[in-house]
Each structure stands twice: as structure tokens, then as C-alpha cells.
Amino acid sequence: IGQMEKMIKIISHAKNNQFIKYGIPFFILVAGGSFGLKHFTSIRFEYKASRQMIKNKSEVEKMLEEEKGIKLKPKEDVTIEKIYEEVEKKDIDTWSNVRGPRPWEDSKQVQKEFKAQAAST
């Protein structure tokens, strides 16, 4: 019975000890976090190394065309002037505000009604 009382006293003292309550979980979090970060940084460096293996864009284009049959469009210089010319060509003065369907409405039905209204006017 004497040993049992000592054990109960030690356990009750440990419950009130702030280091056991807050310190040990903090150190476990810090140590565990460093191991987790080690894993994520290794993934980052592996990805970076794989990107450096591809030397230039022409190699990538050749690889895509040969293996996948994908041909890339030639890159065009995009300037503000070119975009302005494209917008100038479009008719932006004549437009109509079209209401989209509500979540409870059938979108096909709303489209039919809008086409019917457009045809009648």
C-alpha cells in the first residue's frame, strides 16, 4: 500500500507540472517538424534538379513532338499596342446584359426563353 500511495502522489504531481504539460509537447512538435520539413525540402530539390536536366526550349519542343505528337505554337510578342488594336476591332458599344440561370432554374430552359425573346425583338 505504501508504494501505491507514492505512485499516486507522483502521478498527481506530474499532472500539475507545467514542463510535462507544455514543454514536452513543444519539444516533440519542434523535433517532429524538422523531420517533416526535411521531407518537403528534399522533394523541392528533386523537382529543381529535374527541371535543370532539360537544357533549352528546343529540346523540349522536339521531345513533345516526337513522343506525344504535340506541336507548340510559335511564341508571339504581346504588347499593349497589339492588344489595343484587337480590342479596337471588336464592337464593344453594342451589347446586351444577359442574365444567367439561377441555381434552381434549368439552364436549357432559360436559354430557350432568351432566344425566343431575341427572336421576337
Side-chain angles (χ1 to χ4, degrees):
I1 294 181
Q3 289 180 345
M4 188 70 136
E5 290 174 3
K6 286 182 182 179
M7 291 294 289
I8 292 172
K9 190 176 182 181
I10 291 172
I11 290 173
S12 66
H13 187 292
K15 284 184 181 178
N16 296 332
N17 190 345
Q18 286 189 347
F19 178 74
I20 293 174
K21 204 173 194 180
Y22 301 110
I24 291 176
F26 175 75
F27 285 118
I28 290 172
L29 180 72
V30 169
S34 68
F35 287 111
L37 286 175
K38 178 183 174 187
H39 176 70
F40 286 114
T41 54
S42 68
I43 291 172
R44 186 183 87 190
F45 288 123
E46 288 172 11
Y47 175 74
K48 196 175 196 181
S50 69
R51 294 229 7 181
Q52 289 176 351
M53 287 174 41
I54 299 173
K55 297 292 183 197
N56 57 20
K57 189 176 177 182
S58 63
E59 289 179 11
V60 174
E61 289 175 357
K62 288 178 186 175
M63 182 183 69
L64 283 173
E65 194 168 342
E66 290 172 0
E67 294 179 8
K68 309 277 185 187
I70 300 172
K71 188 170 183 177
L72 299 176
K73 292 191 317 185
K75 187 174 180 180
E76 299 175 358
D77 291 332
V78 178
T79 61
I80 294 176
E81 289 81 16
K82 287 184 180 181
I83 294 173
Y84 180 73
E85 289 171 5
E86 290 176 13
V87 171
E88 234 178 12
K89 291 176 186 175
K90 295 180 182 178
D91 184 24
I92 59 172
D93 293 328
T94 56
W95 59 276
S96 62
N97 191 9
V98 179
R99 180 183 73 81
R102 304 287 194 261
W104 57 86
E105 293 177 339
D106 183 25
S107 63
K108 301 282 185 193
Q109 183 65 28
V110 172
Q111 288 175 3
K112 287 178 186 176
E113 290 174 5
F114 179 71
K115 287 179 183 177
Q117 281 182 347
S120 66
T121 55

